[in-house]
Amino acid sequence: MKQILTKIQNHASGFFTKFLAPKTSRNLLILYSLIAIPFFIYHESHLPWHYIFALCVVSLVVGLFITYASLYVIQLYWTETFHPIIELGVVVIFIFALWLAEVLVFEAGTVFLFLFIAIAFLIRVLHLAEYARLLVAACLIASNALIAFKALQGAEVLSAYLLFKNKYQIEEKDLNGWTVTENNQYWNEELQLGFTLPEGFYFFKPEDLTMENKTGAGQIAGLLAFSDHDAERYPFVRIFYFPDYIGFQENQAISEFSEFLKIQVSKGDIEDIQEIQQKELEPFILTAKFWTFYDLLRPRYAKTGFLLVDTPNHDKLLLHITENLEKGEIHEQGIRDFLSSIRFGNRLQSN
């Protein structure tokens, strides 16, 4: 076993000696670019070319900068092993990368971090120089990958938001003016819309939502979710507003929502999308379209779609609903309660 570890150590040491040569570093940066650019283009192929170009530039700049900085730090540590400032900096960057990638949200991620710290401490105390160098290099390479990936994700979120934002030149209103009664009845004077918040649900005003939560063709008016901190936890309902002068129609709603689903698929969030037919019960619903999908983030099959609603003043509301599949039911109980409680043009009455 000791001979195998020594052999691995010698091979790794020789590799990194060549890896850190100035000419090799330059070639590696060029190689990184040649591999990354086609991947970025393929990954974002559903977007317009100018968005693809912007994504490539942002992700490539971040990736090249981090890679170059990592090579520089590795080279410094290779010549001055056990430098405390370098080690501390690498640990901070590594923990930051894990936090940024939301690895530490999970219990397994926290356990991994404690094991990593224990191993690093043992190597430091025993002064195992070769293993210390390899550990620093591994941490920087892993941090590079995680931060570059989050940069790509952030650019994706921004591009999707800009792609949908104000596509119909809506003159945006302040839709944060929701009032609440003691029995969880919500009313928005601007929209002339009211509803009762179902049990177990939480309501988010537009000002409380992230850019990703706001992504959609209309102006976001609010979001109901089954979590007080995670607006993406379903069942949830996102409410989008379209004023009368836009003339928003069924074919536009289908086109916009289909584009939204394509973005979700390209991000690797969902797959296996299948359209389903269902008949809605509420009379104010103009159009309803729903699809089943497999959620890769929360491994299960679920359902998503939209309801297009015509208000008494001829404005349109698009209700984006994502929920668990309920056998023999049109919607989950909470969604049914929400839809049946919707009122237009008059305040909700106290129970």
Side-chain angles (χ1 to χ4, degrees):
M1 184 66 180
K2 185 176 181 180
Q3 290 179 339
I4 294 175
L5 290 174
T6 303
K7 188 176 181 180
I8 293 173
Q9 175 183 320
N10 292 335
H11 278 295
S13 181
F15 169 77
F16 276 103
T17 299
K18 295 178 181 178
F19 182 82
L20 297 171
K23 186 176 179 180
T24 304
S25 298
R26 182 196 64 194
N27 292 341
L28 284 171
L29 293 176
I30 294 173
L31 180 62
Y32 176 89
S33 301
L34 293 175
I35 294 173
I37 291 175
F39 170 76
F40 294 152
I41 293 174
Y42 171 76
H43 196 264
E44 310 301 334
S45 57
H46 62 282
L47 295 173
W49 68 266
H50 51 286
Y51 282 98
I52 296 175
F53 177 77
L55 281 170
C56 284
V57 171
V58 171
S59 302
L60 191 62
V61 167
V62 172
L64 287 174
F65 174 78
I66 297 175
T67 301
Y68 181 80
S70 298
L71 292 174
Y72 178 74
V73 172
I74 291 172
Q75 190 172 27
L76 284 179
Y77 195 73
W78 223 253
T79 57
E80 194 174 351
T81 308
F82 298 121
H83 193 293
I85 296 179
I86 295 176
E87 292 171 340
L88 180 61
V90 169
V91 169
V92 170
I93 291 172
F94 185 57
I95 294 175
F96 170 75
L98 293 176
W99 170 81
L100 191 66
E102 299 180 351
V103 174
L104 300 181
V105 171
F106 305 100
E107 184 178 352
T110 306
V111 172
F112 165 76
L113 179 60
F114 277 111
L115 288 175
F116 161 77
I117 292 174
I119 292 171
F121 180 76
L122 183 63
I123 290 174
R124 188 66 170 80
V125 169
L126 298 177
H127 269 66
L128 303 175
E130 294 298 331
Y131 293 107
R133 293 170 181 171
L134 293 177
L135 188 62
V136 165
C139 288
L140 287 172
I141 292 171
S143 300
N144 183 356
L146 292 173
I147 294 173
F149 175 71
K150 291 302 292 185
L152 178 60
Q153 276 194 330
E156 283 180 333
V157 170
L158 177 61
S159 64
Y161 177 74
L162 295 175
L163 184 64
F164 284 102
K165 180 178 170 56
N166 222 358
K167 181 183 289 188
Y168 295 95
Q169 301 301 310
I170 296 172
E171 184 179 341
E172 294 195 352
K173 300 180 178 182
D174 181 6
L175 301 180
N176 289 294
W178 291 92
T179 57
V180 190
T181 66
E182 292 181 357
N183 51 357
N184 276 339
Q185 296 193 53
Y186 283 69
W187 174 261
N188 190 300
E189 191 69 28
E190 190 70 49
L191 296 175
Q192 288 291 291
L193 168 72
F195 63 87
T196 302
L197 188 68
E199 184 178 355
F201 279 74
Y202 300 86
F203 185 73
F204 298 82
K205 297 179 181 179
E207 62 188 6
D208 300 324
L209 297 173
T210 64
M211 186 182 297
E212 188 170 10
N213 299 144
K214 294 178 181 179
T215 298
Q219 182 184 353
I220 189 75
L223 186 152
L224 295 81
F226 204 66
S227 171
D228 62 346
H229 62 278
D230 181 7
E232 293 293 319
R233 180 181 172 185
Y234 48 76
F236 68 76
V237 181
R238 296 196 301 160
I239 306 172
F240 288 97
Y241 163 74
F242 298 86
D244 176 39
Y245 60 81
I246 297 298
F248 193 70
Q249 300 298 324
E250 175 186 350
N251 61 332
Q252 292 170 299
I254 296 173
S255 174
E256 297 298 342
F257 201 84
S258 297
E259 186 66 26
F260 176 78
L261 289 179
K262 287 180 183 178
I263 290 176
Q264 298 301 105
V265 171
S266 71
K267 288 169 59 181
D269 293 346
I270 64 175
E271 65 179 11
D272 193 19
I273 298 175
Q274 303 290 334
E275 185 175 344
I276 58 174
Q277 302 295 327
Q278 63 182 45
K279 183 175 177 61
E280 299 295 330
L281 302 178
E282 304 302 330
F284 52 77
I285 297 173
L286 293 177
T287 306
K289 286 284 184 180
F290 280 87
W291 294 259
T292 60
F293 67 93
Y294 186 73
D295 191 337
L296 293 167
L297 301 179
R298 308 167 182 85
R300 72 187 74 167
Y301 277 95
K303 182 174 73 174
T304 190
F306 70 88
L307 307 176
L308 188 61
V309 175
D310 191 14
T311 67
N313 56 2
H314 303 299
D315 292 335
K316 297 289 194 308
L317 296 176
L318 187 147
L319 308 180
H320 169 204
I321 299 174
T322 298
E323 57 186 320
N324 297 293
L325 288 172
E326 289 281 347
K327 187 175 180 180
E329 299 288 350
I330 299 175
H331 296 292
E332 286 190 63
Q333 182 63 49
I335 301 298
R336 296 202 305 271
D337 292 343
F338 162 70
L339 293 176
S340 64
S341 73
I342 290 178
R343 301 289 184 273
F344 299 102
N346 60 296
R347 292 185 177 276
L348 294 177
Q349 301 299 317
S350 299
N351 292 335

